[in-house]
Structure formats: C-alpha cells, structure tokens
Amino acid sequence: MIVKKLISGFSKLTKDQKLSFIAAQMPNGEHIISELKSFWHQDASVQKMFDEFSENTLTNYFFPYGVAPNVMINGNIMMVPMVIEESSVIAAAANSAKYWAGKGGFHSEILSTVKNGQVHFIWKGDFGRLKELFPQLKDQLLQRTFPITANMQKRGGGVLDMELIDMTSKLQDYYQLSVKFDTRDSMGANFINSCLEEYASGLRAFVNDSGLFEGEPLQVIMSILSNYTPECTVRTWVECDVKDFADIDDSLTAEDFVWKFEKAVQIARVDVHRAATHNKGIFNGVDAVALATGNDFRAIEACGHAWAARDGQYRSLTEIKVEGGRFHYSLTLPIAIGTVGGLTSLHPMARFSLHLLGNPSAPELMQIASVIGLANNFGAIKSLTTKGIQIGHMKMHLLNILNMFNAGESEKLLAVEYFKHHKVSHNAVAGFLSSIRNGHVKN
C-alpha cells in the first residue's frame, strides 16, 4: 500500500486503531482485519505479552515449529527444536542426525566463551600519557560498574579485561577502550552495553575533568557491544572410516563419495560464490535453533559471516581432513547465544524449546546449534555430490506447490504418490492436477 502523506502519531494509536487505519487504505479492509485478528493468541494476556515484544504490533506471524530427532551429541541423544519456513531443512537435519548416530554421532567442544565491546572515541591528546595512567583509570571504571557487575560476578562471570587500542593508523585521532566480558548463560547484550556506557562516562570525566590532560576534550562517538565474537567459539565434528560410506549411494563407492565430498568442501574454501551458499546451509540449521530458543539469529549470522572472511577472503566455515583412511569433517563457529534473559525467558515456545533440550547452559546450546548447522551442511553436500539437491528439496516443496493450486486432500494423496517416481516442478504439478481434474489419472 502507498500512503499519500507522512503519518504522525501512528505509534500512539491502539492496536485496533492501527488495524483500522491500515484497512482503510486497502481494498476489502474488513476481511484484512478479520484475517489479521485470526492469528491473535486466544489468551489475551499472552497476546499482550507478544504485542509488547516489538513496536506497532498488528498480529502474530506464524512459522513452522518442528523437531529433529536422533541428534547424538557427545554420546547423548536429543530431540532438537527448529523454527524455519524453508522446505527440507528439518528433514535434512533429521536425516543427517540419524545417519551419524550410527557412526558415533556428533562431537562438540567449547573453545572459549568471551564476548567483547568497545567505547569508540576521538581525541587529539597525549595517548602515551593516557596509557601511562591507564591502571588508575581502569580501577575507577571497574568500581563505577560494580553495581552492574556484582550479580554477574557471583555467577562466575563479569568483566575479564580492558585495554586501550590505538586505531589512528586507520582513522585520524580514533581510539578504542576495548573490554572483554563473560556473560555466563545470557547472551549479554544489555549487560555489556550498560557497562560500556558507564565506562564511556568515566573515561570522558577522567580525561576532560580531572585536570590531568591538556588540549581539546575527548569525544566519545559511541559505546556498544560487538556482534563479532571470535573468542566465543564452538568446534563440532563428525568422523568415521572412509569405508563406512559404502552404503551412502548406489552409484558411488565409499572412496568416490569421499573424494567428491572433499572436492566440494575445497571449492567452498576458494570460491566465494560457493562459500556463501555453503555457509547459508549451515545457518539453515543454526538459525532454526536460534529462533526456536528465542535468540538473535541476525547477530549470530553477522558474526559467522565476519569470521568466514577473517583472513581477507570469504570462505567456508567447515574444514575437511581425509588421512589414513579416516574422514574428519568439522565446523568451527563463533556464536553468542543465551539461555536466560530476553525472549528466552518470556516467550512460551522459547521456554518449551529449552525445556525440551533439558534446560541447557549457554555453552551447551552453542554446541546444539552448531551440531544442527553441521548436520544441515553435511546433508546438503551429500545430496549435491550424489543425486542432486533438487530431488529431495522439491519433494518437500511439493505440498507448498499443491497448496498454491488449492489442491484438495484426495488430490494431494494422488500427487504425493505420483511424484514419488517423477520429478517435481511447478509446471509438472500444474499438469498433473489438470489431468486428474479432467478425469485422466496419471500413472
């Protein structure tokens, strides 16, 4: 819809008023209102909570909530919740999980759980003098945030370190106060940002108001956490003998499959076009777990893609090693994820997801998300190097196409049976439905 003039005060309207305003701009407005309201939660108190998650809320937007069973992680078998709209992602994760469960499952370890943030500032003063007085400044800053950090410290977390960084080689007069944090089971964005804003005020006062420095005042540009967390990292892998892939595909020997698989991964290491799609397949799984548990999948993706380009070229996030008849395939991923705070505590489905997972700690959830990412990636490369990606994907997409053509239940049953033996495409489904609707049943 195109609105002819700027809207003033829209956020101050009630939800019903917002719905009425939008409906008035569109044809069939009453039907639109009815349809949007049909997605409201039947419990008004729950709906009110949903409304308050974001701004200008009109209704709820449904995504499928599914599970991948038989996920073996470090010897424990789990059922992992996934929220995603893309056909075949959950099926691929489930198939890979069951396949690897017969070969010892997935292995995962936490490499580190450090997060970071920066106070970015511009200053023309004596940086050497500031560094000389930094121990004094650091003590003052830590004292300043003690009311914020006390509870986190009791849980074993808090501020780990801080340092001054000279960035003037990249931007004139630009410096950072860089701080490392351990936020335990929370993602920690609010905790980190609250600390950084206090550090910014303390830094500004120390330089501008203490009388210890001459010249122009220090100017804080911003204080904010970084979503790039290269020290909050998990490593996940699968391994088996090459000969164990003898059952992978009727058209390939175990050795031929592993050779093709290895080449596919190597291509994703050197070609950015393939690397982007390769990594997207990983985030199919990671994002689905993040959404199911009420976590920030945009932050997770931003970090992962930055990590993939850390040496100056965007590369695959996975690595492969085939030596001495052993296949070893791994994913190393920085991922800041939480199990307390934010929507993880408020959203009823996020709470259910964490309960389904056995109420994991944040490091445990890091492992679970990375395992599902590797499971999806393995499934995609397995399909690409054997029968092709479209056969399995389009079989899963078949119901979407049938729904586009308003197929009835009996038509769906006939179509599913028919396309077990025929290639799925939009035109093929249209032709099949046309034939049976005209009384001609295809075989």
Side-chain angles (χ1 to χ4, degrees):
M1 114 185 151
I2 298 176
V3 181
K4 295 180 180 179
K5 61 180 182 179
L6 294 177
I7 303 167
S8 178
F10 184 79
S11 64
K12 295 181 175 61
L13 300 178
T14 66
K15 188 165 66 169
D16 281 324
Q17 288 171 332
K18 290 170 186 169
L19 282 170
S20 296
F21 179 90
I22 289 174
Q25 320 300 315
M26 303 177 72
N28 203 11
E30 289 304 313
H31 172 73
I32 288 171
I33 292 176
S34 176
E35 185 174 54
L36 292 177
K37 284 187 173 182
S38 73
F39 288 94
W40 290 6
H41 197 282
Q42 60 185 358
D43 186 324
S45 64
V46 174
Q47 183 57 52
K48 184 175 186 297
M49 179 181 64
F50 287 167
D51 291 346
E52 292 171 353
F53 285 159
S54 188
E55 300 81 23
N56 291 337
T57 305
L58 300 178
T59 190
N60 306 316
Y61 191 102
F62 290 178
F63 268 13
Y65 180 105
V67 294
N70 305 313
V71 182
M72 182 183 287
I73 306 175
N74 295 336
N76 298 313
I77 299 175
M78 312 185 76
M79 183 171 287
V80 179
M82 301 175 67
V83 172
I84 193 165
E85 88 297 344
E86 184 177 337
S87 301
S88 78
V89 168
I90 295 179
N95 288 338
S96 290
K98 188 175 182 180
Y99 182 81
W100 280 106
K103 292 176 167 56
F106 294 84
H107 311 274
S108 190
E109 62 178 352
I110 298 298
L111 302 182
S112 56
T113 57
V114 177
K115 297 161 190 172
N116 64 84
Q118 294 78 31
V119 176
H120 304 268
F121 63 96
I122 301 295
W123 190 42
K124 297 181 182 295
D126 185 348
F127 187 68
R129 171 73 168 153
L130 182 60
K131 290 199 74 170
E132 180 184 329
L133 296 173
F134 185 64
Q136 177 183 339
L137 169 61
K138 182 176 178 180
D139 287 343
Q140 290 183 19
L141 296 180
L142 291 175
Q143 285 298 318
R144 191 180 183 103
T145 55
F146 181 76
I148 300 172
T149 62
N151 286 335
M152 189 67 77
Q153 289 174 359
K154 290 177 183 177
R155 298 198 295 272
V159 179
L160 301 177
D161 194 17
M162 65 173 63
E163 63 177 326
L164 290 168
I165 300 178
D166 186 341
M167 301 288 289
T168 55
S169 63
K170 300 180 182 297
L171 180 66
Q172 185 177 359
D173 303 325
Y174 167 42
Y175 302 93
Q176 291 180 0
L177 174 68
S178 182
V179 189
K180 294 182 178 181
F181 301 86
D182 182 345
T183 61
R184 310 311 288 169
D185 287 331
S186 69
M187 191 273 179
N190 289 330
F191 171 79
I192 292 173
N193 287 336
S194 295
C195 289
L196 291 172
E197 290 184 359
E198 283 297 317
Y199 295 150
S201 296
L203 171 64
R204 189 165 42 225
F206 186 80
V207 172
N208 297 346
D209 304 332
S210 65
L212 296 170
F213 299 90
E214 298 178 353
E216 296 182 27
L218 179 149
Q219 297 185 63
V220 172
I221 303 302
M222 55 187 166
S223 313
I224 186 69
L225 88 165
S226 174
N227 287 131
Y228 184 49
T229 56
E231 294 179 271
C232 187
T233 311
V234 58
R235 180 175 177 269
T236 297
W237 70 95
V238 289
E239 58 183 339
C240 66
D241 290 337
V242 170
K243 61 181 176 59
D244 291 343
F245 289 113
D247 61 347
I248 200 78
D249 188 86
D250 293 339
S251 65
L252 292 172
T253 66
E255 291 75 17
D256 287 342
F257 167 74
V258 169
W259 181 84
K260 289 188 71 177
F261 193 104
E262 183 179 25
K263 291 302 174 189
V265 178
Q266 290 171 347
I267 289 168
R269 296 290 298 173
V270 299
D271 175 48
V272 66
H273 298 89
R274 175 58 201 146
T277 311
H278 180 100
N279 290 343
K280 186 268 184 184
I282 293 169
F283 284 110
N284 278 341
V286 174
D287 287 357
V289 174
L291 279 167
T293 56
N295 274 279
D296 186 346
F297 72 93
R298 287 92 52 205
I300 291 169
E301 282 228 13
C303 181
H305 293 305
W307 172 261
R310 65 192 182 279
D311 71 353
Q313 178 179 329
Y314 186 88
R315 302 183 186 278
S316 66
L317 290 164
T318 59
E319 294 183 331
I320 190 166
K321 182 170 67 175
V322 182
E323 289 180 356
R326 291 285 290 178
F327 172 93
H328 186 281
Y329 191 48
S330 65
L331 165 66
T332 303
L333 188 67
I335 176 171
I337 200 166
T339 58
V340 298
L343 291 193
T344 60
S345 304
L346 291 174
H347 198 295
M349 292 307 296
R351 287 201 307 269
F352 172 78
S353 294
L354 293 172
H355 183 63
L356 181 65
L357 292 170
N359 298 313
S361 64
E364 288 169 338
L365 188 57
M366 288 169 65
Q367 293 177 315
I368 293 165
S370 67
V371 161
I372 298 299
L374 187 60
N376 274 113
N377 173 263
F378 176 83
I381 299 180
K382 172 179 171 288
S383 294
L384 285 167
T385 55
T386 54
K387 60 188 177 182
I389 200 75
Q390 283 303 92
I391 292 178
H393 178 76
M394 292 306 291
K395 293 285 186 185
M396 294 299 301
H397 194 49
L398 173 60
L399 288 177
N400 289 340
I401 300 174
L402 290 167
N403 284 329
M404 288 173 60
F405 287 111
N406 297 314
E409 289 305 311
S410 61
E411 292 176 324
K412 288 180 181 179
L413 289 173
L414 290 170
V416 167
E417 187 62 31
Y418 175 79
F419 284 105
K420 286 180 180 178
H421 312 287
H422 297 82
K423 186 171 289 188
V424 177
S425 70
H426 192 276
N427 287 339
V429 174
F432 175 79
L433 288 174
S434 176
S435 69
I436 61 174
R437 287 169 178 174
N438 290 325
H440 306 294
V441 179
K442 288 194 171 186
N443 297 315

